Amino acid sequence: IVFHSFFKMELILVPDKSYGNFYEGDCYVLKVGGSLSYDIHYWIGSESTQDEQGAAAVYTIQLDDFLGSSPVQHREVQHYESSMFCGYFKQGIIYKKGGVASGMRHVETNSYNICRLLHVKGQKRVTVEMSWKSFNLGDVFLLDTGKTIIQWNGPDSNKQERLKGMLLAKDIRDRERGGRAEIGIIEGDAEKNAPHLMQALTSIIGEQPSTLPPGTPDETTDQEQLAQITLYHVSDADGEMKIKEVATRPLVMDMLNHDDCYILDQGGMKVFVWKGKRASKAEKQAAMSRALEFIKLKGYAHTTNVQAMNDGGESALFKQLFQSWTVKDQTVGLGRTHTVGKVAKVSQEKFDATRMHVMPEVAAQERMVDDGSGQVQVWRIENLELAEVDPKTYGYFYGGDCYLVLYTYEVHRKKNYILYMWQGCHASQDELTACAFQAVNVDQQYGGQPVQVRVTMGKEPRHFMAIFKGRMVVFEGGTSRKGGSDPGSLVHLFQISGSDSFNTKAIEVPAQAASLNSNDVFLLKSPGGIYLWYGKGSSGDERAMAKEVSAVLGQGSSEDIMAEGQEPIEFWNLLSGKAPYQVVPDHQPRLFECSNKTGRFTVTEIAQFTQEDLSEDDVMLLDTWDQVLLWIGNQANEVEHQESVVTCQEYLRTHPGSRDCDTPILLVKQGFEPPTFTGWFTAWDPTKWNVTSLKKITTV
């Protein structure tokens, strides 16, 4: 959820279609997460006023207090955003000139009265001067004139940069122009092949000079500097802030006293603030300002990234700076699970649909127009036409199909409509096109009133799941059409996620032991009955919802419930034998992109990663703590391959958490990923890369 801080010092909710667009003259507050954990980021525009920056900080504190003081707070500065922040916006961040405080009007979406030049580089898309002076040979540029978007690819730009440019152009067309804009591409080394586009380009920014400068290299992170960590005790008992050094690397958890506050300095590049649970409320609220004072005292850049967190709500990045980290009440067997602050209590409250109507801001924040109890009608795309789905099978979705779901609800006795377009990952291009076409027809039948929402398999929004009351089942493949069949195998394994009827769904995964994860609940269906497998890290709510799903899938079949570690031999036989699988991790996985596309080898962390972030041109480093996996893209060159292994070894050697240099390093080829790799990615598509032969995983 993104809030916009205006000159009247009020928070205004930013619409979804504007996510990723930031005005340099303003400040923003982002709330990310749900259920048991939250992150709050406040973003500072380079042209924002001190008053706006102060207001954003105050709103962050208030939001933190409202959420039970459990969120991790992040301070983000324009041009220096953290990889975690950039990871929320997969199409990149766009900086826009102006802001309310400067008196300049914001650009309205769906407006064609616009002319801007965007520089596509890394995770940021910067609005630059409308001149050839802004161009270089190594990057991608977009000229957006409202009705036409022209993409100019530098001769030295790589495939991945060009793809990101095209994705951004399509995103602008679809989100800001309602699909009503044309996109054209100019290859910088073959401009004569697009004379009309070049004429349009030069008519706006002038004649092209005879030469253009080379591309500038990406910024690199000094791993040695990041390895220099120092823990400080912070006190202002005498009215003056006093900082005392406690320890340097390696750090252990016992150094943190619950009565105090601490600052952890990671080489001057990142600063963490830890607030003990028994520290005073005033000390906790002043944590971020204390961090800024510390940065000033040390002479660090004002753009230094800052994280502030409470005792018990530490970020994964913070925990990895310690040699060991244990969580109180961490699950053992079927013991208790860890909760933070008041968040667990909030998540268990009954959903009050009436608040959505009397308080529209709540509906916007929760992404819920109501509790999903309205009228539902479901169609399946069949022979490119609409075929009604039997209401008895509502909630069943097959990866080989596309569906339209029309939801009707009332507000103040007026009917409102939402039209969801659910697209299976194995649906054909013709079916995807027919789905969009039929959505237009349904929209017209209802006078253009429905709000249209495209839903990708595995990424269903909360309200969509709420419609099916916790009984949503997603099959990996197959079809529900007449004459069709369920996915071929008689044995199906489902991963069940969710803690209530508003966020629960069952997603089919490969029926093999390596698909299991001790954090979750799994349902194994076979002709002989159903097994419910409770992972050690699953919660009571997750197990209760699994029983609801079991009642739907089982249709009266017998149900055997087992705890992790108590499986009968029949269970493993159905999964083709017992095999290693993911256990409850002490550390969160991290993904890095290793590339020399700019002429020198760079390593960049990718936050909130998905399968789409795996670049075929590069080598990716996945750190799961107990092992490091190097994913080799098909288009990666030999330099990237060799340098990534050396970098991986250096990464382990300089890790602030004093990692064991004997940590296994595995090489995984694109298209031949084992479940121990794919299990870290949500909604992994095994058919994304078609392969015909199998290569071995190599241990370095």
Side-chain angles (χ1 to χ4, degrees):
I1 302 173
V2 184
F3 297 97
H4 194 169
S5 180
F6 285 84
F7 74 102
K8 291 184 179 179
M9 305 309 157
E10 298 177 353
L11 282 184
I12 307 297
L13 192 66
V14 174
D16 293 10
K17 65 177 65 176
S18 296
Y19 281 10
N21 293 272
F22 293 87
Y23 287 90
E24 297 179 338
D26 294 330
C27 293
Y28 295 78
V29 177
L30 284 76
K31 178 175 80 74
V32 183
S35 185
L36 297 180
S37 63
Y38 293 93
D39 287 272
I40 302 174
H41 300 253
Y42 74 94
W43 183 89
I44 298 173
S46 59
E47 302 297 327
S48 61
T49 65
Q50 288 294 326
D51 288 342
E52 284 182 315
Q53 295 176 23
V58 170
Y59 279 123
T60 299
I61 293 172
Q62 292 177 349
L63 185 56
D64 176 86
D65 188 54
F66 174 75
L67 294 172
S69 298
S70 65
V72 176
Q73 300 176 32
H74 307 258
R75 177 178 177 267
E76 310 282 355
V77 180
Q78 183 179 348
H79 299 297
Y80 300 91
E81 294 87 351
S82 64
S83 59
M84 182 180 186
F85 182 87
C86 294
Y88 300 138
F89 309 100
K90 292 302 182 183
Q91 303 304 336
I93 296 171
I94 298 177
Y95 299 140
K96 293 186 174 182
K97 298 292 184 182
V100 172
S102 66
M104 298 179 67
R105 295 181 57 193
H106 288 184
V107 178
E108 298 295 333
T109 57
N110 289 329
S111 171
Y112 297 106
N113 185 24
I114 186 174
C115 192
R116 60 182 175 178
L117 181 64
L118 294 173
H119 181 188
V120 180
K121 185 176 182 62
Q123 286 291 332
K124 305 178 182 69
R125 288 76 170 106
V126 184
T127 305
V128 294
E129 179 186 349
M130 296 275 290
S131 165
W132 283 104
K133 295 179 182 179
S134 301
F135 283 70
N136 66 63
L137 298 175
D139 294 326
V140 173
F141 296 82
L142 296 182
L143 178 64
D144 180 10
T145 64
K147 293 185 178 180
T148 304
I149 302 172
I150 300 175
Q151 176 174 335
W152 186 89
N153 295 328
D156 298 333
S157 62
N158 60 56
K159 176 183 175 182
Q160 191 66 16
E161 290 172 325
R162 299 180 184 192
L163 176 60
K164 288 182 178 180
M166 177 52 64
L167 291 175
L168 175 61
K170 289 182 176 179
D171 188 56
I172 293 173
R173 178 194 64 188
D174 296 339
R175 279 204 303 167
E176 297 188 17
R177 312 289 149 71
R180 296 181 292 274
E182 294 184 357
I183 298 175
I185 300 178
I186 300 174
E187 298 297 343
D189 52 0
E191 295 171 341
K192 294 181 179 179
N193 295 336
H196 298 297
L197 291 175
M198 276 302 297
Q199 183 179 1
L201 183 67
T202 55
S203 66
I204 296 175
I205 65 174
E207 291 299 320
Q208 183 180 8
S210 57
T211 59
L212 291 173
T216 56
D218 294 333
E219 296 179 359
T220 58
T221 301
D222 188 338
Q223 293 297 327
E224 291 283 357
Q225 190 173 351
L226 284 175
Q228 304 304 313
I229 56 175
T230 308
L231 183 67
Y232 296 90
H233 175 256
V234 182
S235 173
D236 60 351
D238 301 329
E240 181 181 351
M241 187 175 77
K242 294 182 179 179
I243 300 175
K244 179 182 178 181
E245 182 176 324
V246 176
T248 58
R249 173 188 175 199
L251 303 180
V252 293
M253 185 179 175
D254 292 340
M255 294 175 178
L256 302 174
N257 188 320
H258 300 295
D259 294 321
D260 300 318
C261 292
Y262 295 83
I263 287 179
L264 198 161
D265 179 6
Q266 191 177 14
M269 303 181 74
K270 291 180 181 292
V271 171
F272 301 84
V273 182
W274 185 86
K275 299 171 282 184
K277 63 178 65 177
R278 292 193 290 270
S280 68
K281 184 175 181 179
E283 285 181 312
K284 292 180 179 180
Q285 291 183 340
M288 188 64 77
S289 60
R290 292 287 179 265
L292 298 181
E293 290 179 37
F294 174 82
I295 289 173
K296 186 176 181 180
L297 184 67
K298 285 287 188 178
Y300 296 154
H302 76 283
T303 56
T304 301
N305 182 259
V306 180
Q307 280 190 22
M309 64 205 70
N310 285 283
D311 187 351
E314 297 83 3
S315 67
L317 192 59
F318 180 80
K319 293 177 183 178
Q320 292 202 16
L321 300 179
F322 290 77
Q323 196 168 35
S324 62
W325 190 279
T326 55
V327 179
K328 182 182 179 182
D329 296 334
Q330 187 168 16
T331 301
V332 177
L334 292 178
R336 293 178 293 171
T337 54
H338 178 63
T339 57
V340 180
K342 303 176 182 177
V343 181
K345 297 180 181 178
V346 174
S347 66
Q348 294 172 1
E349 291 179 358
K350 187 178 184 302
F351 185 88
D352 185 0
T354 59
R355 297 177 65 209
M356 304 298 99
H357 308 315
V358 299
M359 300 177 66
E361 67 275 13
V362 175
Q365 293 174 25
E366 297 293 339
R367 301 294 193 275
M368 298 279 286
V369 296
D370 65 0
D371 60 358
S373 59
Q375 298 178 1
V376 185
Q377 190 170 6
V378 183
W379 297 273
R380 179 183 58 254
I381 301 300
E382 187 172 329
N383 298 324
L384 308 185
E385 300 293 336
L386 290 181
E388 287 197 30
V389 173
D390 186 346
K392 294 180 181 179
T393 62
Y394 280 6
Y396 277 36
F397 294 88
Y398 291 80
D401 288 333
C402 288
Y403 299 83
L404 290 185
V405 178
L406 180 66
Y407 182 76
T408 306
Y409 64 102
E410 291 190 4
V411 178
H412 305 309
R413 298 184 180 180
K414 177 185 176 182
K415 286 189 175 182
N416 293 264
Y417 307 95
I418 301 177
L419 182 60
Y420 291 102
M421 296 168 281
W422 190 92
Q423 301 175 344
C425 64
H426 301 299
S428 68
Q429 187 58 49
D430 288 343
E431 289 172 324
L432 295 173
T433 302
C435 182
F437 177 77
Q438 294 296 345
V440 173
N441 290 340
V442 174
D443 181 77
Q444 291 175 347
Q445 292 175 19
Y446 287 84
Q449 297 182 49
V451 174
Q452 298 185 34
V453 182
R454 183 174 70 90
V455 178
T456 303
M457 176 176 167
K459 298 182 179 180
E460 295 79 11
R462 185 183 180 194
H463 185 259
F464 185 85
M465 291 186 285
I467 293 173
F468 303 103
K469 306 293 185 295
R471 300 187 173 193
M472 180 178 171
V473 180
V474 180
F475 291 91
E476 169 60 27
T479 175
S480 59
R481 306 174 198 171
K482 293 181 179 178
S485 62
D486 287 356
S489 174
L490 295 176
V491 178
H492 302 282
L493 181 65
F494 298 89
Q495 183 175 14
I496 300 175
S497 61
S499 55
D500 57 42
S501 61
F502 302 115
N503 63 8
T504 297
K505 61 182 175 182
I507 302 177
E508 186 176 14
V509 296
Q512 52 193 22
S515 298
L516 299 174
N517 185 322
S518 60
N519 280 312
D520 297 318
V521 178
F522 287 79
L523 184 151
L524 179 63
K525 181 182 180 183
S526 71
I530 284 181
Y531 291 95
L532 274 181
W533 184 87
Y534 293 160
K536 294 178 181 178
S538 62
S539 68
D541 289 338
E542 289 172 328
R543 297 169 189 173
M545 292 310 302
K547 290 183 178 180
E548 295 283 338
V549 176
S550 176
V552 176
L553 281 171
Q555 299 178 347
S557 301
S558 60
E559 177 184 87
D560 291 327
I561 299 176
M562 68 193 70
E564 181 179 0
Q566 301 176 4
E567 304 86 355
I569 188 64
E570 295 82 5
F571 176 82
W572 296 119
N573 288 340
L574 289 170
L575 295 178
S576 302
K578 193 171 183 178
Y581 58 85
Q582 295 172 29
V583 297
V584 180
D586 293 323
H587 301 272
Q588 294 298 313
R590 302 174 70 185
L591 183 69
F592 300 84
E593 178 186 39
C594 306
S595 173
N596 71 338
K597 61 190 177 186
T598 59
R600 62 172 175 167
F601 188 78
T602 61
V603 178
T604 307
E605 184 169 6
I606 299 175
Q608 309 293 316
F609 60 83
T610 66
Q611 186 182 4
E612 296 300 322
D613 292 311
L614 298 177
S615 171
E616 297 183 60
D617 294 336
D618 298 320
V619 174
M620 313 297 291
L621 188 158
L622 179 65
D623 180 11
T624 63
W625 192 264
D626 60 330
Q627 62 182 13
V628 176
L629 300 99
L630 286 176
W631 181 89
I632 313 298
N634 286 338
Q635 305 300 321
N637 57 49
E638 190 61 29
V639 173
E640 291 170 331
H641 192 166
Q642 294 176 354
E643 290 291 337
S644 60
V645 175
V646 176
T647 298
C648 188
Q649 295 168 338
E650 189 70 7
Y651 168 78
L652 291 172
R653 185 185 69 81
T654 61
H655 196 283
S658 298
R659 297 280 289 279
D660 185 356
C661 290
D662 292 330
T663 299
I665 301 174
L666 283 71
L667 299 184
V668 179
K669 307 298 194 304
Q670 177 186 336
F672 305 94
E673 299 82 2
T676 49
F677 179 87
T678 62
W680 298 106
F681 295 79
T682 303
W684 179 272
D685 180 5
T687 64
K688 181 177 177 64
W689 302 296
N690 293 322
V691 293
T692 56
S693 61
L694 185 63
K695 299 179 182 178
K696 294 182 179 179
I697 304 171
T698 307
T699 301
V700 179

